Amino acid sequence: MPGLLSVYRAGRVTLANAIGTGVADDKSIYPYVPDMVKFYLDEKPLLRNVPTWQCRKKEHLSHVLAHLPELW
């Protein structure tokens, strides 16, 4: 929305979700979360990652296409 940031900075509107929140929650980031935890915290993730396939990789695309009815 044009002008939103200037109105926010002027204190005339409150945002429920601040600008930039949700960036790491983007579904396209999921495959990288375990590596990010390892890189930034030098720890193994406590929780397993959500199964995520990157269809730009041939082997992932093949898996998704072969299992599409159960992934839908």
Side-chain angles (χ1 to χ4, degrees):
M1 169 176 252
L4 178 62
L5 193 54
S6 61
V7 175
Y8 172 73
R9 286 181 178 155
R12 301 191 63 197
V13 69
T14 301
L15 301 177
N17 295 316
I19 295 171
T21 59
V23 171
D25 188 42
D26 187 304
K27 305 322 178 246
S28 65
I29 301 298
Y30 283 179
Y32 307 104
V33 170
D35 292 335
M36 292 186 325
V37 170
K38 178 66 177 156
F39 180 82
Y40 288 108
L41 302 177
D42 197 26
E43 298 176 1
K44 289 178 112 178
L46 296 176
L47 302 173
R48 289 185 301 141
N49 201 15
V50 173
T52 307
W53 295 272
Q54 298 171 315
C55 291
R56 69 177 179 273
K57 296 180 179 178
K58 287 183 181 182
E59 64 277 7
H60 288 208
L61 178 59
S62 296
H63 173 82
V64 168
L65 293 175
H67 297 90
L68 200 52
E70 60 197 77
L71 296 173
W72 178 250

